[in-house]
């Protein structure tokens, strides 16, 4: 008997929850606390990387690396003040449930810290349709490395050949490509369709609602069929 099952891995920040710009603002304030002036636009384009890689990407290899941990802690503290403002994108909850209803094992492939993830899951309000979820503690290396996706596959009892990943950043696309997993991209996180497709996204939609409306014709619909 074949126990293989189809599944969908969901990025959370910027894909299901409207949080990317809160992250960008939180990083901006954290950098300013240490007298680093980094353009908000540059920070936004790096959101989706893990915090360690984001700091290195934006400040360079010649930075004072002894500040890295404090920068990450400062970002986390500032971001926590945004928790009450976090809401799910239109259609996000319905999309996750529709995938589960079609027989897809839904896993949240998140790199958020555990406490942040709890807040994100509360905002999403779709736990009844979610089989498993990951957090930053489940990966040795952050995106664009594929570690968090490998952890999500294991958590959901899935194989890379049997899943589609839904994400919003080029870092999501790069990570999934390393495992041969096709990515459906959404542009609601603030990255354009052109950039996401250039990175390798198989499909692109404006937001979870648009993907839900096209679900049957999408890679997810075909996988479920």
């Amino acid at each position: 008997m074949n126990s293989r099952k189809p599944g969908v891995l969901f990025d959370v920040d910027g894909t299901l929850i409207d949080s990317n710009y809160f992250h960008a603002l939180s990083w901006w304030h954290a950098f300013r606390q240490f007298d680093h002036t980094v353009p908000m636009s540059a920070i936004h384009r790096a959101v989706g990387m893990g915090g360690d890689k984001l700091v290195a990407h934006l400040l360079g290899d010649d930075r004072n690396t002894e500040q890295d941990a404090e920068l990450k802690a400062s970002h986390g503290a500032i971001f926590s003040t945004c928790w009450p403002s976090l809401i799910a994108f239109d259609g996000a909850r319905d999309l996750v449930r529709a995938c589960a209803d079609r027989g897809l094992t839904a896993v949240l492939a998140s790199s958020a810290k555990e406490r942040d993830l709890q807040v994100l899951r509360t905002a999403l309000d779709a736990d009844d349709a979610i089989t498993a979820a990951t957090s930053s503690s489940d990966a040795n290396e952050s995106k664009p490395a594929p570690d968090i996706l490998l952890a999500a596959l294991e958590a959901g009892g899935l194989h890379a050949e049997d899943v589609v990943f839904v994400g919003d950043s080029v870092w999501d696309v790069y990570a999934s490509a390393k495992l041969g997993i096709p990515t459906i991209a959404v542009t609601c996180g603030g990255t354009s369709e052109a950039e996401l497709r250039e990175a390798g996204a198989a499909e692109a939609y404006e937001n979870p609602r648009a993907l839900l409306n096209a679900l049957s014709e999408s890679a997810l619909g075909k996988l479920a069929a």
Side-chain angles (χ1 to χ4, degrees):
M1 181 178 177
N2 186 3
S3 60
R4 297 274 287 266
K5 53 189 178 182
V8 52
L9 309 181
F10 286 103
D11 174 61
V12 181
D13 279 301
T15 298
L16 299 175
I17 304 297
D18 192 0
S19 56
N20 278 4
Y21 290 92
F22 290 116
H23 276 297
L25 183 62
S26 299
W27 277 116
W28 187 88
H29 281 296
F31 286 133
R32 289 301 303 134
Q33 287 180 357
F34 291 86
D35 296 322
H36 298 297
T37 301
V38 184
M40 190 82 74
S41 59
I43 298 172
H44 171 257
R45 304 187 83 73
V47 169
M49 288 181 162
D52 53 341
K53 293 185 177 178
L54 181 146
V55 171
H57 177 74
L58 292 172
L59 297 186
D61 294 334
D62 59 347
R63 72 193 185 281
N64 178 5
T65 56
E66 293 181 0
Q67 292 180 351
D68 287 10
E70 291 178 276
L71 280 165
K72 290 171 61 179
S74 179
H75 159 265
I78 297 167
F79 182 71
S80 70
T81 67
C82 303
W83 286 348
S85 300
L86 296 179
I87 61 172
F89 284 115
D90 178 43
R93 185 176 305 111
D94 294 338
L95 174 62
V96 174
R97 288 181 172 148
C99 288
D101 288 344
R102 291 182 180 226
L104 296 176
T105 297
V107 179
L108 300 184
S110 173
S111 298
K113 292 184 293 186
E114 184 60 41
R115 185 66 184 94
D116 287 343
L117 179 62
Q118 293 174 14
V119 174
L120 295 168
R121 292 184 69 160
T122 298
L124 181 61
D125 189 25
D127 275 358
D128 55 303
I130 296 168
T131 297
T134 62
S135 66
S136 58
S137 62
D138 295 310
N140 291 324
E141 192 172 350
S142 60
K143 287 182 291 189
D147 296 28
I148 203 67
L149 297 183
L150 288 168
L153 290 171
E154 182 177 356
L158 300 166
H159 295 81
E161 300 83 1
D162 305 322
V163 304
V164 169
F165 181 42
V166 182
D168 70 289
S169 73
V170 295
W171 317 112
D172 292 329
V173 183
Y174 295 152
S176 62
K178 292 174 181 175
L179 301 179
I181 298 173
T183 299
I184 295 178
V186 287
T187 61
C188 49
T191 302
S192 71
E193 177 177 349
E195 291 171 284
L196 292 164
R197 286 193 178 275
E198 183 178 354
E203 300 173 13
Y205 299 87
E206 182 179 357
N207 51 39
R209 177 67 65 192
L211 173 54
L212 177 62
N213 290 341
L215 193 58
S216 295
E217 297 76 39
S218 73
L220 282 173
K222 294 170 184 174
L223 181 64

